[in-house]
Amino acid sequence: MKKILFMFFVASVLSATSEKAFAQFEKGDKLLNAGINLGGTYGGGGVGAGASFEGGVHDFISVGGQLDFVHWGYGGGIYGYGWSYNFISIAARGSYHFGKHFLTMDNLDLYAGPSLGYRIASSSYDGIGYDAYGSGVFFGAYAGARYYFKPTIGVFAEVGYNASPLKAGITFKF
């Protein structure tokens, strides 16, 4: 994980000297986010990776999909039992880009929206217990921001109830 964060830092520093970006969202933009998930599904701890892609269908609206993986577990200790959970989330998502309404910064894109998908849950445990999580349909909601260092590359962060409480990473605009 330290290597991933270091790569994001290096990309940010190298991009900081670029020309001014023109990043306010517009119809026809294609956006790709790739990053890490922090915090676990269903409130557990954990980390994971994920990606989302969206295409602009209106000056304020984009639609697309996402794929996320989150792992969390705990165990051992004096009782010698533990759990390990894996969650794969596949979802459709839509975002409303509201930064144009009040921002004067061209390189900042603020957005929020819902997601609807299917979560595949798997678990393993040692000792006495049961699997409290199952696969099924989920509804999510998120809010996020993208900050562009160049017209086509930047960083993003999202918070909410989705695949994980916090996502952060690199974003590309086509």
Side-chain angles (χ1 to χ4, degrees):
M1 184 155 112
K2 288 181 183 179
K3 289 181 183 180
I4 293 171
L5 292 173
F6 179 72
M7 288 183 345
F8 290 139
F9 175 75
V10 169
S12 299
V13 170
L14 292 176
S15 300
T17 60
S18 69
E19 67 278 0
K20 183 179 178 183
F22 300 99
Q24 283 290 349
F25 180 82
E26 295 179 356
K27 180 179 178 179
D29 285 351
K30 294 172 184 66
L31 309 169
L32 175 66
N33 292 332
I36 57 174
N37 295 315
L38 301 172
T41 304
Y42 299 114
V47 296
S52 65
F53 180 80
E54 296 180 52
V57 296
H58 184 273
D59 278 343
F60 301 110
I61 299 171
S62 62
V63 295
Q66 68 184 45
L67 175 64
D68 292 285
F69 171 78
V70 175
H71 169 81
W72 67 276
Y74 57 92
I78 62 173
Y79 299 108
Y81 62 90
W83 287 266
S84 175
Y85 296 99
N86 294 308
F87 300 97
I88 298 173
S89 301
I90 303 165
R93 62 189 272 150
S95 297
Y96 184 80
H97 302 262
F98 54 89
K100 284 184 180 181
H101 298 302
F102 59 88
L103 286 178
T104 58
M105 294 178 61
D106 284 338
N107 54 346
L108 183 63
D109 177 23
L110 301 177
Y111 59 95
S115 62
L116 177 65
Y118 191 79
R119 180 171 292 128
I120 302 165
S122 65
S123 65
S124 62
Y125 64 88
D126 298 323
I128 300 171
Y130 65 94
D131 181 11
Y133 305 109
S135 300
V137 174
F138 76 94
F139 176 77
Y142 58 88
R146 293 181 183 96
Y147 183 82
Y148 291 91
F149 298 107
K150 291 187 176 183
T152 59
I153 190 168
V155 293
F156 82 97
E158 291 181 1
V159 297
Y161 180 76
N162 204 359
S164 64
L166 175 64
K167 293 182 184 183
I170 193 162
T171 188
F172 301 96
K173 183 177 178 181
F174 305 98

